[in-house]
Amino acid sequence: MSRSLRRGSLAAIAAIAIASLSACAAGNNAETLEVKPDNTSVTLGTDLRLNNIVVVTGDETSGEHTGPANVTVNISNTGAEPAKLESISVEGGGTATLTDPSGAPLKELIIKPGDAVLLGGPGQPTARLASATLQVGGFVPTTFAFEKAGQVQAEAAVYANFGYYKGFGPTPTPSAPASPAAGTASPAAAPSPTASPTAGATATAGAKPTGPAASGSPTASGSPIAAAH
């Protein structure tokens, strides 16, 4: 092989090595590639799979977190029967409170057959820890309990409400409205603009009401009907 060919081969090998190192450097940063991190996934039986198990803290990006946190996980049910998630417990944070998308408490979370639920996702239920002591960037034992399938434990990654998980972290709990100060008189009820109907005055369906209470009295056919649930 000529000297010029050898120099060309060595240059090509060096270029490939530099490209490989650059790719590794970018690949270690999930935000650079704009893909979600490869987090813990576990299966329970043959029908339940829990993917991307993460506990999301506040906006701090490192160090110890003490305060509210959310558990996010994608639970898929490939079975023929509904799966009922009864509780999620996190070491150092206790049991999470399950709520529906509107914020109402849930006793259990039902995953329909062939369906999946992303806890903490837009328009999805939430699992909130009132207070937890966690190491951001570390892992924490997390236990999921189902009604029939039993329990499964996983090492959940702990991330801040930042980057890919922005919006999955805990939101501030709305404070209750302040009660009126003692001694403050409540506003007086507005007087009724009309007098109440005289006792005994009724409206007959199909006939014009008579008597002093005729003005403003609803007819029988105009009575509201309660909507069926």
Side-chain angles (χ1 to χ4, degrees):
M1 181 183 294
S2 67
R3 186 175 301 175
S4 60
L5 289 177
R6 283 199 300 270
R7 284 200 298 267
S9 299
L10 290 174
I13 294 172
I16 293 171
I18 292 171
S20 300
L21 290 174
S22 299
C24 290
N28 290 332
N29 188 338
E31 291 179 7
T32 301
L33 295 178
E34 297 184 355
V35 296
K36 65 183 179 181
D38 183 17
N39 295 311
T40 305
S41 296
V42 294
T43 57
L44 185 57
T46 58
D47 300 332
L48 290 174
R49 183 170 181 83
L50 289 73
N51 295 309
N52 203 33
I53 305 170
V54 174
V55 179
V56 186
T57 64
D59 294 335
E60 66 271 38
T61 56
S62 63
E64 187 176 83
H65 166 86
T66 299
N70 283 353
V71 180
T72 178
V73 56
N74 188 305
I75 306 175
S76 61
N77 177 16
T78 59
E81 298 292 332
K84 295 182 180 180
L85 174 65
E86 295 184 318
S87 67
I88 302 175
S89 301
V90 176
E91 185 175 287
T95 302
T97 299
L98 298 173
T99 60
D100 68 12
S102 69
L106 290 174
K107 182 180 178 181
E108 58 191 14
L109 178 63
I110 299 177
I111 301 95
K112 298 177 182 178
D115 203 357
V117 173
L118 174 60
L119 280 178
Q124 296 284 325
T126 300
R128 177 186 173 93
L129 299 168
S131 182
T133 299
L134 306 164
Q135 188 69 32
V136 178
F139 291 85
V140 60
T142 304
T143 303
F144 299 85
F146 291 83
E147 183 184 59
K148 294 182 180 179
Q151 296 185 356
V152 63
Q153 187 179 85
E155 292 291 321
V158 181
Y159 286 107
N161 183 38
F162 180 78
Y164 180 81
Y165 292 99
K166 185 67 176 178
F168 283 79
T171 56
T173 303
S175 57
S179 56
T184 303
S186 58
S192 174
T194 58
S196 58
T198 307
T202 59
T204 304
K208 184 178 181 180
T210 60
S215 175
S217 299
T219 61
S221 60
S223 301
I225 301 175
H229 291 281

